[in-house]
Amino acid sequence: RLAAVDPADTRVAQGLMRALAAAGDAPGALRHAEIVDRIRQQELELPPDPAVQALAERIRRGDGVGPAPAAERTGAPQPAAAGASADAALAPRTAPAEGAQPGPASARRAAGRLAWLVSAGALAAVALLFAWQRTSRSAEPAGVRRIAVLPFENQGDSADAYFADGITDELRGKLAAVPGLEVVASPSSKEYRGTTKALPQIARELGVSYLLIGNIRWQKAPGGASRVRVSPELVRIAPGAAPTTRWQQPFDAALTDVFQVQADIAAQVVGALDVMLADSARRELRLQPTENLAAYDQFLKGEAAAQGMKADQASLRRAIAYYERAVELDSTFADAWSQLSRARTSLYSNGVPDRDLGEQARVAAERARSLNPRSPLAYLALGDFFGSVNPFDNERAMAEYEQGLRLAPDNVELLGAAVSTETSLGRWDAALPRLARASSLDPRSASAARRQATVKLFLRNYAAADSAADRAAALAPTAPQMVSIKVLVALARGDLGRARAEIRAASRRIDPAILLPFFAYYQDLYWVLEDDQQRQVLAAPPGAFDDDRGGWALVRAELYQLRGDRHRMLVYADSARLALDEQVRAAPEDGQRHALYGVALAYLGRKADAAREARRGVELMPISRDGYFGPYVQLQQVRIHILLGEPEAALDRLEPLLRVPFYLSPAWLRIDPTFDPLRTHPRFQGLVANGVR
């Protein structure tokens, strides 16, 4: 509250920074230091406070902040510190990770409520301060221009909307590569397509001082003499003042000059923002992705279909077809090769693994890098391949992402992929600064919010996970993935009633034929569904599971076992066995497939075979190798031992899962019927009672 009342008070600022750091929110503490410095420089025309900077540096290094010094507590002046310086692939049965993609507080409701209240109070104070910050001054760092490129309005045929989006994305990408500019990422900017919100409100929501808006018309003429008309406008948004046009200029050119138009617009915007443009940066602006307009047109159609590689399988297949036509028309089109690789990788990891598809993804990524070794997109494609196609190699994936980030430090897709891979490598603390940076560049992205929620969930910081999950659901209310994180947090807290309420509420805005199979399939949450919802899942065809007959049959076996229908359970467990056996043969290095095959065998009572598949799954994907998917595979091993009537072996593998980052928690164990056979075992009772992690 004090920080909100007087944001320039450096004593209070240090107190809030210490509190945030002590609460485990070091990025929040560093962000507050930046806010105070900007307020002093831009509002009060004062230099940065040395004590605030020194404290920020200690927090950044991970040093203990210790108690507040007496001067800070009493308000006495403090001497300047000497030398103070002024910073998820979907797995078949694991919930969609934006790469990571990403447990317990106390099970007692009172303790959980207290934790929420304490967190809510801190968040409220920070929210007040940020509200003051956004309405009173520019959000951009000193010396940096922060800008958002809003979707240009398509004034031509509605079928050409993809073209307008593509031109906008190209402009955004060119500007993002200019030193001295901080450009809001595409997902956050695209939210404002067709918006009726006023420009100052958009600028406040995105934390920018400049908006680039405009419209595009593709004028197609007989004989191919097409033209493109682009009318961009750079708008300055200042606190307490009406928006002003900083620069505006219409462009009318032959379609063959579309790349020149993009470069000219970007250069004019940079000049209007008073950003110095080095010769190397000027050359970068004028680089053309291809000289073949037909190939470029197919590429843009692929981009529209792929939806940032988060589309459904059918849309990904359409995107692949477009990208393939693009590289057929221009075999040197590096960006098209990169995106073709990423679409193939995404299709591979979101469905039944196809070895040929994985190999095609590798070939396309390597082709992209050979054509343009300085393209960040090529390293993104390579990292996606190594992190998602069997056999996974997270270390290699991380190396590729790091190389891409050296070329494009603020590329949100690379930052998000690096966060997911860091968590897979068990480097959860290292992921947090990148997560904070990605969220700053992509403040309205549901995927970024969900990634934050997933990391906090796995770290068992439920208040923070809940807050981020609320934001993700608000930004993408019709996406099942955003609902799932809310449900997982509720289950980790042991609140089955709340989890079911979240699903019921989501069913009113998301087609149950899509939502309910999703919950039955991912994270094995079939048991959370209520009776009528379970019946709807049992009536769903394999198409509701993307024609994965192994997953479809295994869900039916699980539900029938839960409902006490042993005969049908055995029938569908055998169907799952047949389908999963085929899948394992096709992808022998897929640890999750082996583990799920073992579950089907365990339902059938085939003890030796089930145990073999469980061991093989954990060997291929141990927690030490993959901190995100590894715990899920080991959880399947626990399920197998429970089904086989081996409680000691099950508990031997369950106990470590409560000590590593994961969504499982003692409170979860209390409500999940999977663990009913262990309830009377003293070791299990100790886990639940003592909250062992």
Side-chain angles (χ1 to χ4, degrees):
R1 292 193 188 101
L2 287 171
V5 169
D6 188 357
D9 188 320
T10 55
R11 283 190 309 111
V12 172
Q14 291 172 73
L16 181 54
M17 288 168 64
R18 291 176 188 280
L20 289 168
D25 188 9
L30 296 174
R31 173 65 175 163
H32 187 64
E34 293 177 3
I35 290 170
V36 173
D37 283 348
R38 288 184 220 148
I39 290 173
R40 288 173 61 84
Q41 292 178 40
Q42 297 180 16
E43 298 295 326
L44 305 177
E45 298 183 355
L46 293 173
D49 183 75
V52 170
Q53 289 189 315
L55 178 58
E57 184 62 26
R58 291 200 298 277
I59 294 171
R60 188 178 290 109
R61 292 196 307 264
D63 298 343
V65 295
E72 184 181 311
R73 295 194 299 271
T74 62
Q78 296 182 49
S85 63
D87 187 314
L90 265 175
R93 292 270 286 187
T94 303
E98 299 310 338
Q101 281 111 41
S106 169
R108 297 179 179 84
R109 291 180 181 272
R113 188 177 301 117
L114 176 61
W116 182 87
L117 287 171
V118 171
S119 175
L123 289 172
V126 176
L128 284 170
L129 177 61
F130 271 70
W132 182 91
Q133 169 206 5
R134 288 175 176 170
T135 56
S136 67
R137 38 166 286 285
S138 163
E140 63 196 28
V144 174
R145 298 289 186 266
R146 185 172 165 91
I147 182 174
V149 182
L150 301 188
F152 279 26
E153 181 183 351
N154 172 42
Q155 294 190 328
D157 191 306
S158 60
D160 298 335
Y162 75 91
F163 181 79
D165 287 345
I167 299 298
T168 308
D169 286 340
E170 288 287 338
L171 280 171
R172 187 181 293 112
K174 287 182 178 297
L175 292 171
V178 175
L181 284 185
E182 190 172 278
V183 183
V184 172
S186 174
S188 290
S189 297
K190 285 183 176 179
E191 180 186 338
Y192 297 96
R193 178 185 285 105
T195 185
T196 58
K197 291 182 178 180
L199 294 182
Q201 180 181 353
I202 296 173
R204 283 196 301 272
E205 291 177 355
L206 294 177
V208 300
S209 299
Y210 297 91
L211 296 171
L212 182 62
I213 60 176
N215 54 66
I216 295 176
R217 181 185 295 276
W218 182 3
Q219 296 176 311
K220 301 177 183 178
S226 299
R227 300 188 68 80
V228 59
R229 300 187 64 181
V230 186
S231 300
E233 180 181 1
L234 180 64
V235 181
R236 163 72 166 155
I237 310 294
T244 57
T245 297
R246 188 70 175 263
W247 167 81
Q248 185 176 23
Q249 179 180 336
F251 291 81
D252 188 335
L255 184 63
T256 52
D257 294 328
V258 66
F259 299 120
Q260 181 65 45
V261 169
Q262 293 171 0
D264 288 345
I265 293 173
Q268 294 278 11
V269 169
V270 170
L273 292 173
D274 299 323
V275 173
M276 295 297 294
L277 197 59
D279 289 342
S280 59
R282 199 176 299 278
R283 286 194 297 271
E284 287 288 330
L285 288 183
R286 299 196 177 280
L287 288 178
Q288 297 183 189
T290 176
E291 295 182 356
N292 189 313
L293 284 176
Y296 185 61
D297 184 59
Q298 294 298 309
F299 173 77
L300 294 184
K301 289 177 178 176
E303 295 286 87
Q307 301 170 38
M309 300 304 158
K310 295 178 177 63
D312 55 66
Q313 282 85 340
S315 297
L316 284 170
R317 292 186 182 98
R318 287 198 302 275
I320 287 170
Y322 286 127
Y323 293 136
E324 287 176 341
R325 285 197 286 273
V327 297
E328 286 171 5
L329 290 164
D330 180 3
S331 62
T332 66
F333 194 169
D335 286 356
W337 282 110
S338 294
Q339 294 298 77
L340 174 57
S341 172
R342 295 186 65 218
R344 286 170 171 171
T345 294
S346 187
L347 184 61
Y348 174 100
S349 62
N350 282 314
V352 178
D354 180 326
R355 183 180 295 181
D356 291 340
L357 185 63
E359 176 62 14
Q360 292 165 4
R362 181 192 65 80
V363 170
E366 292 184 347
R367 173 70 170 157
R369 181 174 57 183
S370 68
L371 287 167
N372 188 358
R374 290 197 55 76
S375 169
L377 198 56
Y379 295 100
L380 178 61
L382 283 163
D384 288 355
F385 168 79
F386 287 113
S388 302
V389 175
N390 293 308
F392 296 170
D393 187 342
N394 288 315
E395 292 284 1
R396 179 68 184 275
M398 195 68 222
E400 300 294 347
Y401 293 142
E402 293 281 13
Q403 177 62 28
L405 285 167
R406 281 191 283 273
L407 296 166
D410 284 348
N411 184 296
V412 167
E413 289 184 296
L414 280 165
L415 285 168
V419 167
S420 297
T421 307
E422 293 275 27
T423 58
S424 290
L425 291 169
R427 304 170 187 166
W428 295 85
D429 290 338
L432 292 175
R434 281 186 170 135
L435 185 60
R437 182 59 179 160
S439 297
S440 171
L441 290 165
D442 206 0
R444 303 286 293 176
S445 167
S447 295
R450 185 179 184 279
R451 190 176 291 117
Q452 279 190 319
T454 300
V455 170
K456 296 300 184 182
L457 169 65
F458 272 55
L459 293 176
R460 299 185 172 96
N461 183 347
Y462 299 133
D466 232 354
S467 177
D470 280 336
R471 181 169 174 77
L475 291 168
T478 60
Q481 296 93 330
M482 307 309 164
V483 183
S484 73
I485 195 70
K486 288 287 295 178
V487 171
L488 289 171
V489 174
L491 295 174
R493 284 176 153 168
D495 194 341
L496 180 58
R498 180 183 162 202
R500 287 176 168 167
E502 294 285 355
I503 297 174
R504 285 196 301 272
S507 296
R508 293 192 285 271
R509 62 181 187 272
I510 304 174
D511 184 354
I514 296 173
L515 180 71
L516 299 181
F518 180 94
F519 272 97
Y521 192 50
Y522 294 109
Q523 259 101 20
D524 315 301
L525 297 180
Y526 60 90
W527 58 274
V528 181
L529 301 178
E530 296 175 279
D531 181 73
D532 63 319
Q533 296 169 338
Q534 292 177 17
R535 292 177 185 276
Q536 291 181 65
V537 172
L538 289 171
F545 298 82
D546 193 43
D547 290 321
D548 176 359
R549 299 193 70 87
W552 169 77
L554 188 56
V555 164
R556 292 173 77 84
E558 291 166 338
L559 282 171
Y560 280 124
Q561 192 255 6
L562 182 67
R563 298 168 71 86
D565 190 335
R566 178 172 173 76
H567 174 72
R568 284 190 173 87
M569 179 272 285
L570 291 171
V571 169
Y572 285 104
D574 197 52
S575 297
R577 175 190 65 83
L578 293 170
L580 288 165
D581 177 70
E582 184 178 340
Q583 292 177 18
V584 165
R585 291 177 187 276
E589 295 174 312
D590 188 321
Q592 287 194 77
R593 295 286 160 180
H594 279 282
L596 294 171
Y597 183 30
V599 172
L601 292 166
Y603 274 122
L604 295 168
R606 293 175 54 171
K607 187 172 183 177
D609 293 337
R612 180 195 67 237
E613 293 302 318
R615 287 194 301 273
R616 183 57 178 155
V618 172
E619 288 169 359
L620 288 167
M621 194 174 287
I623 295 173
S624 59
R625 178 184 164 197
D626 194 313
Y628 184 82
F629 293 117
Y632 175 80
V633 172
Q634 187 158 316
L635 178 58
Q636 302 316 302
Q637 190 178 33
V638 173
R639 293 180 66 201
I640 289 167
H641 286 301
I642 291 173
L643 289 168
L644 296 176
E646 300 171 341
E648 296 295 340
L651 286 161
D652 287 343
R653 290 151 183 83
L654 176 61
E655 287 171 347
L657 292 179
L658 299 177
R659 300 190 185 100
V660 298
F662 193 36
Y663 57 76
L664 203 65
S665 71
W668 182 306
L669 299 182
R670 294 189 187 99
I671 59 175
D672 188 343
T674 302
F675 303 99
D676 283 351
L678 301 179
R679 300 224 177 269
T680 60
H681 196 291
R683 285 174 65 188
F684 183 82
Q685 292 174 344
L687 288 181
V688 172
N690 298 326
V692 174
R693 301 183 180 182

